[in-house]
Amino acid sequence: MLETMQFVIDRDAYDGAEELIEGWGEAALAEAAARAERSRDLGNHIHYTRWCRVGRVILLLGDPEARGTLH
């Protein structure tokens, strides 16, 4: 699903992803994208980048393959 290794350090992104997945199910990624677009259109770049990070986390959580290093 993801071609490159992703690293998300922001705990809020995981919390936002969890909230959207619980509330929107399979439409969570589309909702994150809609919220990002809405924020961008309003000129709110802080929330735009937040919702983009949430979308990346949703993709990571939905990836059936284990990624990253094993330890």
Side-chain angles (χ1 to χ4, degrees):
M1 177 178 281
L2 298 171
E3 301 271 330
T4 61
M5 175 105 73
Q6 299 286 322
F7 179 74
V8 180
I9 195 168
D10 184 5
R11 175 64 199 197
D12 289 336
Y14 285 95
D15 293 339
E18 178 185 19
E19 180 183 322
L20 287 186
I21 291 168
E22 284 180 4
W24 293 86
E26 294 200 13
L29 182 59
E31 180 61 19
R35 291 180 186 199
E37 287 178 22
R38 199 167 30 251
S39 295
R40 183 195 60 213
D41 292 345
L42 292 171
N44 189 334
H45 301 292
I46 292 171
H47 280 131
Y48 168 75
T49 57
R50 174 183 187 263
W51 290 115
C52 288
R53 286 192 309 274
V54 168
R56 285 193 294 277
V57 170
I58 291 170
L59 285 173
L60 284 170
L61 293 175
D63 191 350
E65 266 187 62
R67 304 277 178 191
T69 59
L70 299 175
H71 43 299

